[in-house]
Amino acid sequence: MNAHAATARAEPTKVPHIGDHLREWRQRRHLSQLDLASDAEISARHLSFVETGRAAPSREMVLRLAERLEVPLRERNVLLVAAGFAPAFPQRSLDDPALKSARQAIDLVLKAHEPNPALAYDRHWNLVTANRMVAPLLEGLPPHLLGHPFNILRLAFHPEGLAPRTVNLAEWSAHLLERLHRQCEATADPELLKLYQELKAYRMPARSGPISADNVAIPFKLRHNGDVLSFISTTMVFGTPVDITLQELALETFFPADDLTADRMRQMAARLS
């Protein structure tokens, strides 16, 4: 072993300081020190000292800056630990008794949305739970794409998944990629960035032209048993969560975009009863 290699191996890995984290999030939000300091009601000089390590922020200041920067709860814990404080936000399983009311609310929304499909997924777009109207739309897909939990976006883009069945694949896939890109920008989650690159690698058809002025939203058009089912979707999140699991959970509800789809979903629900 040469001296250079021995020295490199002996050098400890530099642990990011709280100031490094804050600077990274500030720059990600495209804010100057003056902008952030003004918003957080502290002096720009003090913020500069915190970022360079010349001053140590209080726990309250870390949380205030994280809130102004819209840092996800998971990463706020990282900031607190980097500043020498204990994490503030728990991450519980949905089966935890403390989240009983939240789980009941999720189940209520999913059940009440029948006969239309609805599902809940985590921050990486892995399925958490769904109502009974989702499974019939996935009939015939290969088991390796439907593991538990399966990734909703990968299922939508995969050539063995829903991609061949999606009538307006160019528009729908572009819409999903745009959503994922915004999420990557907001969270800087490495797993999401990896998923984004994976999905971009799938060959998608080019958009045929501008979206029709008659559309109020980009529909999801799916071939199913000889019909083309058309849905518009809404996304719901929990308001003011203080638990990481709840903040990272989203509920997607699909509504019929035409009378044919509404009729077919009612028939499907009747067969499942």
Side-chain angles (χ1 to χ4, degrees):
M1 181 184 299
N2 60 42
H4 177 75
T7 302
R9 181 170 297 183
E11 290 178 354
T13 302
K14 184 177 183 283
V15 178
H17 183 268
I18 175 61
D20 298 328
H21 287 290
L22 287 173
R23 185 186 308 107
E24 182 180 347
W25 279 105
R26 177 177 61 77
Q27 292 173 345
R28 185 174 291 122
R29 299 296 186 246
H30 306 291
L31 293 173
S32 68
Q33 286 185 341
L34 183 60
D35 291 333
L36 177 57
S38 176
D39 197 25
E41 299 180 341
I42 62 174
S43 72
R45 184 169 182 265
H46 186 52
L47 177 59
S48 176
F49 280 9
V50 169
E51 287 193 359
T52 58
R54 296 175 64 185
S58 66
R59 182 177 185 276
E60 291 70 25
M61 181 178 289
V62 172
L63 291 174
R64 186 192 311 171
L65 290 170
E67 182 178 359
R68 298 303 187 275
L69 290 168
E70 298 181 350
V71 178
L73 298 186
R74 180 182 296 275
E75 299 305 319
R76 293 187 196 189
N77 280 345
V78 173
L79 294 179
L80 286 168
V81 171
F85 303 107
F89 304 99
Q91 181 178 8
R92 306 176 179 91
S93 164
L94 276 178
D95 296 328
D96 191 293
L99 296 186
K100 180 180 178 180
S101 60
R103 182 61 197 239
Q104 289 175 336
I106 294 168
D107 292 341
L108 179 63
V109 170
L110 298 184
K111 177 64 177 177
H113 196 64
E114 294 180 3
N116 301 311
L119 48 86
Y121 52 90
D122 64 19
R123 76 186 195 281
H124 294 146
W125 292 76
N126 292 318
L127 182 72
V128 174
T129 186
N131 67 13
R132 61 178 184 154
M133 305 310 298
V134 172
L137 300 177
L138 307 180
E139 289 176 352
L141 294 181
H144 71 88
L145 290 178
L146 301 176
H148 185 72
F150 66 76
N151 189 275
I152 296 167
L153 291 185
R154 186 173 291 113
L155 188 74
F157 280 72
H158 200 283
E160 296 181 74
L162 293 179
R165 305 183 184 184
T166 304
V167 175
N168 59 333
L169 181 59
E171 291 76 17
W172 185 245
S173 61
H175 159 69
L176 293 178
L177 268 182
E178 288 168 5
R179 286 179 59 181
L180 181 57
H181 183 262
R182 289 196 299 270
Q183 193 177 354
C184 289
E185 289 289 306
T187 66
D189 187 307
E191 287 299 315
L192 285 178
L193 292 169
K194 182 179 177 182
L195 179 62
Y196 179 74
Q197 293 302 323
E198 176 189 337
L199 299 184
K200 279 188 65 177
Y202 286 115
R203 300 187 65 177
M204 293 289 130
R207 295 187 186 186
S208 57
I211 298 172
S212 170
D214 294 333
N215 288 333
V216 296
I218 297 175
F220 171 44
K221 296 184 177 182
L222 182 70
R223 294 186 186 90
H224 185 264
N225 291 340
D227 295 314
V228 174
L229 304 182
S230 183
F231 300 94
I232 56 175
S233 67
T234 65
T235 306
M236 294 183 287
V237 295
F238 279 89
T240 62
V242 292
D243 179 274
I244 293 173
T245 298
L246 286 190
Q247 187 191 54
E248 296 177 344
L249 194 73
L251 278 71
E252 195 95 4
T253 53
F254 293 85
F255 294 84
D258 55 36
D259 292 339
L260 171 67
T261 303
D263 182 61
R264 293 296 185 267
M265 295 311 299
R266 285 192 294 266
Q267 293 175 13
M268 195 180 300
R271 290 194 296 270
L272 293 173
S273 299

